[in-house]
Amino acid sequence: MAAIYQAVYRRASSLMCRFHSTYVRKIRYLNDLKEDDSLCRQAQTSGTFYLFHNLSPFLQEVGKQYLVPQVSAAEIKRILEKFKEAEQWIEKSVLIGCSDEHVPHFALDLGALEKSVIESELKGSFTDLRKALFVVDQKDSPLLASAQSLLRWHDSHQYCSKTGQPTQKNVAGSKRVCHASGIIYYPQMSPVVITLVSDGSRCLLARQPSFPQGMYSALSGFCDMGENVEETVRREVAEEISMNSLELEEARWFDLEEIMKGLKRKPGSSKQEDGSLLPWFPPKQAIAHQLIWEWVKQQTSQLA
């Protein structure tokens, strides 16, 4: 048995080392692309592109599935040549990752071009991101979300906050530079917390006006300057239990039975006679879903 254990351990260790080695090489390659404009420009000719139109990702419906196509550089140029602006638009792309085989992935927003032409050429449609996240494969959701965030950041940081002069992105889109002042701007995140409030036998869920009809989720909010995570959670819960109608449309307590039924529902699947929908919850890839599911497991284990 000892010999078998050692063989299995060596095999597992070898696989783990190989995994880390692949990951390290990928990260180093991505860093090279971010720092070397000529290398990144070369990578654009062999990379794949995720397309957006005014921050809405492009999807293709195949059977009952929605796919996020990775469009080749050659196909992008073929489509853009119809607008006679191929090279100009390729320069506007931003690097969002690469495969383990070092195939770089870029995001490109074509919002200034005619949407119907692109949709017709590629046989798909541009879909609001919030809707897209409910129908695409779980592995595609983080990439679409991060791509949209980076594209939005570039759109809102085209001018220097100190000089008012235009900023210029590097080829990868990992930074913008104001050449008048020398200031370098890097994409930033706004820290957010999300929490599931429970009184022991029920949990508190809420919905914002922007949510799809019928969807409820856990409470969440942005961190204020200098707050730690615990302070943010306490403040957000205090604010939203005293419901602010400008932020929340509704907040209510759900018992275990209601939660379990809601987890089984799909968007738009349970319309009532008045046209409203029975409550349903975010998809599996969402953090809120995982929090709700963990609460269900705790409750059912206590009842067992």
Side-chain angles (χ1 to χ4, degrees):
M1 286 295 294
I4 295 176
Y5 173 79
Q6 290 176 356
V8 171
Y9 177 79
R10 284 196 297 270
R11 174 64 174 166
S13 298
S14 175
L15 291 173
M16 187 61 69
C17 289
R18 199 177 307 165
F19 169 79
H20 284 297
S21 177
T22 300
Y23 176 78
V24 169
R25 287 198 301 270
K26 181 169 78 170
I27 294 302
R28 287 177 176 172
Y29 175 61
L30 284 172
N31 188 62
D32 289 341
L33 293 178
K34 292 176 182 179
E35 298 299 325
D36 189 330
D37 282 354
S38 60
L39 181 65
C40 189
R41 190 170 282 110
Q42 181 181 353
Q44 288 174 335
T45 64
S46 60
T48 60
F49 291 78
Y50 291 79
L51 298 185
F52 289 74
H53 193 278
N54 291 327
L55 300 179
S56 294
F58 181 78
L59 304 182
Q60 289 177 329
E61 186 175 2
V62 180
K64 295 183 178 180
Q65 291 184 314
Y66 285 86
L67 305 181
V68 184
Q70 298 179 28
V71 185
S72 69
E75 185 72 355
I76 286 290
K77 288 187 177 182
R78 183 188 67 79
I79 295 170
L80 292 178
E81 281 172 356
K82 295 180 179 295
F83 302 94
K84 300 180 181 180
E85 298 175 330
E87 297 301 327
Q88 173 190 343
W89 279 99
I90 293 294
E91 282 288 325
K92 295 183 179 181
S93 65
V94 295
L95 179 70
I96 57 174
C98 74
S99 68
D100 290 341
E101 294 75 28
H102 291 189
V103 176
H105 303 317
F106 297 89
L108 178 59
D109 195 300
L110 302 174
L113 303 182
E114 182 60 44
K115 181 171 68 171
S116 61
V117 174
I118 305 169
E119 291 178 329
S120 176
E121 286 289 329
L122 293 177
K123 296 179 173 54
S125 60
F126 292 97
T127 307
D128 181 87
L129 180 65
R130 287 173 297 184
K131 295 180 180 178
L133 294 179
F134 286 104
V135 296
V136 300
D137 190 271
Q138 185 172 345
K139 65 179 176 59
D140 292 317
S141 299
L143 195 60
L144 287 183
S146 61
Q148 191 206 60
S149 296
L150 185 56
L151 290 169
R152 177 183 281 114
W153 180 84
H154 279 283
D155 185 57
S156 61
H157 287 75
Q158 296 184 34
Y159 296 90
C160 177
S161 60
K162 183 176 182 180
T163 67
Q165 295 299 309
T167 58
Q168 183 177 357
K169 82 173 186 69
N170 64 338
V171 177
S174 60
K175 60 186 176 183
R176 298 189 73 91
V177 180
C178 172
H179 293 292
S181 64
I183 297 175
I184 301 176
Y185 294 92
Y186 294 96
Q188 297 176 331
M189 293 190 307
S190 298
V192 171
V193 298
I194 183 167
T195 185
L196 188 66
V197 178
S198 173
D199 67 356
S201 60
R202 302 176 300 170
C203 65
L204 181 65
L205 301 177
R207 57 174 282 104
Q208 299 177 4
S210 60
F211 282 6
Q213 189 178 8
M215 192 189 85
Y216 287 76
S217 186
L219 304 184
S220 63
F222 292 99
C223 296
D224 278 349
M225 190 71 70
E227 277 187 334
N228 60 35
V229 174
E230 290 80 5
E231 290 169 338
T232 304
V233 169
R234 292 180 67 188
R235 176 181 53 77
E236 284 293 336
V237 172
E239 289 176 356
E240 297 188 6
I241 287 182
S242 301
M243 197 177 74
N244 182 341
S245 59
L246 296 178
E247 293 187 16
L248 296 181
E249 183 177 275
E250 186 180 358
R252 51 167 288 205
W253 294 95
F254 289 82
D255 60 28
L256 178 59
E257 183 179 358
E258 291 177 300
I259 290 291
M260 294 183 71
K261 288 180 179 178
L263 286 171
K264 296 177 181 178
R265 296 188 187 110
K266 296 181 179 180
S269 63
S270 301
K271 184 172 290 189
Q272 303 183 87
E273 292 183 0
D274 62 0
S276 63
L277 297 178
L278 291 170
W280 55 278
F281 309 127
K284 292 181 179 179
Q285 57 265 39
I287 295 175
H289 182 100
Q290 300 302 320
L291 290 174
I292 295 169
W293 181 241
E294 285 297 322
W295 182 82
V296 168
K297 289 194 292 186
Q298 291 177 9
Q299 293 294 307
T300 53
S301 66
Q302 292 173 7
L303 295 174

